[in-house]
Structure formats: C-alpha cells, structure tokens
Amino acid sequence: GQQVMQIPQYQHVQEGEDFTTYCNSSTTLSNIQWYKQRPGGHPVFLIQLVKSGEVKKQKRLTFQFGEAKKNSSLHITATQTTDVGTYFCAGGGTYKYIFGTGTRLKVLA
Amino acid sequence: DAGVIQSPRHEVTEMGQEVTLRCKPISGHNSLFWYRQTMMRGLELLIYFNNNVPIDDSGMPEDRFSAKMPNASFSTLKIQPSEPRDSAVYFCASSFGRRVGSNEQFFGPGTRLTVL
C-alpha cells in the first residue's frame, strides 16, 4: 500500500539554526499537506501544495512540492523555541490522506 | 466556532471492558476521520466518513473496533473488548469539501486511552 516516509525522525537544533524535514511517498500524490503538532497537542494544518514544483512561504517556513509530486520538504529559517513540535506531511490521494511518520523538532535555547 | 469536540479527554479502563469515544465535528463539515496515534505506529487513519457514510474502514485494526456516524454532528468509535495494545491517543478530525483527499483537516484535542 501507499507509504509516506519522513526524514529525519528527530532533529535537535540550536535556536537560530535552520531546519529541514523531507517527505517521500511511494506513489504520486495529488497534493500534499503539512501539519504541526505541539507536545501534548493535536495536529494543526499549516499548508497545502497542489502543483508540481510548487513553492510556498509562510514567514520563516518554506514548503516545496517535488516536480514528480512524490516528495516534499519543509524548511524553517532561524528556528525559534516556538517551532518545537512534530511536523507531519500528509500525502493526498483520491479519497484520503496518508500521514507521514513525522519529524520531531527540538530547539535548544 | 468551538472546533472539533471529543469526549472523554482521558479514559482509563481495564482489559475486556467496552470503550466508547465520541466526536462532534465542526458544523457544516461533510467528512469525518478517526485516527490513532502511538509512538510505535505514528498517526494511523482508522476510518473516515463522507456525508455520514463510511467510505474506507481498511485501517480499523480488527472486529473489536467499530465506528458509527448516525448524523452529521456526531460520531462514535467503539472498542469491545478493549486490550492493553489499544492504548493510544485517538483523534477525530473533520473537513469540508467536494473531494475528501484535498481539504484541510481540523483535528479535535484527542482522547488519551489507557487500557490496563
């Protein structure tokens, strides 16, 4: 069945450093979403990418959708302690989303 | 807007007992999803409904799990009998749109289930 993997599984960074998480699907996706889950919280929607090669920015966050629509990345510039949490990608198919394995980010002040 | 509402927030039960988790989706949303999250398996989709109809239950672990959506504003996930390996956080999410796989999902706060 369809699988969505994320790397790395964990990442510890010093505050101010950049961070990137990568998402890879075993199948071509119709779209991809990104969610953030704070410790003890629930996933919260960040963004959706639909077009091949699409790049979107939200302040310090940059999201990319691969040309083949099988991979995506989230890059955070100059991390802050408020960025702590687990970042999930969710690959959109015809009828549902498959969530990736997540990348847990810790930011050291 | 109250968002997606789940109850109870925490449930501790003994093995063999029946557990019922409840969800009220955001008013007007036409899709509802039940997820299970554990450290080992991550976030798993158990079942989802579109316009109150179960569309895909392939993620339901086994016959001990069942889900219903009797109307657009209420859904339940039942585990009978419960087992310790069912311990997890169960999330309900809802979305609105014509195509299920293309809309933002709004998650509830989750129910943390512990089966002793």
Side-chain angles (χ1 to χ4, degrees), chain A residues 30-31 33 35 37 41-43 45 48 88 92-97 99 104, chain B residues 35 37 39 43 45 48 56 58 91 99-105 107-109:
Chain A
S30 61
N31 58 75
Q33 294 180 344
Y35 290 78
Q37 184 177 20
H42 57 276
F45 175 82
Q48 176 170 288
F88 292 97
T94 304
Y95 298 111
K96 63 183 180 183
Y97 280 98
F99 274 78
R104 185 175 297 180
Chain B
Y35 290 91
Q37 186 173 41
M39 288 295 292
L43 197 59
L45 176 65
Y48 74 92
D56 186 341
S58 60
F91 288 106
R99 270 186 57 204
V100 175
S102 59
N103 309 298
E104 173 183 355
Q105 294 179 64
F107 282 76

Side-chain angles (χ1 to χ4, degrees), chain A residues 43-74:
Chain A
V44 175
F45 175 82
L46 294 176
I47 205 162
Q48 176 170 288
L49 305 172
V50 179
K51 298 177 183 177
S52 170
E54 188 170 11
V55 178
K56 286 189 176 180
K57 291 189 175 184
Q58 288 180 348
K59 297 183 180 179
R60 295 178 295 103
L61 278 60
T62 302
F63 304 84
Q64 285 190 303
F65 199 10
E67 293 290 342
K69 301 185 77 173
K70 294 181 71 174
N71 55 70
S72 181
S73 66
L74 159 59

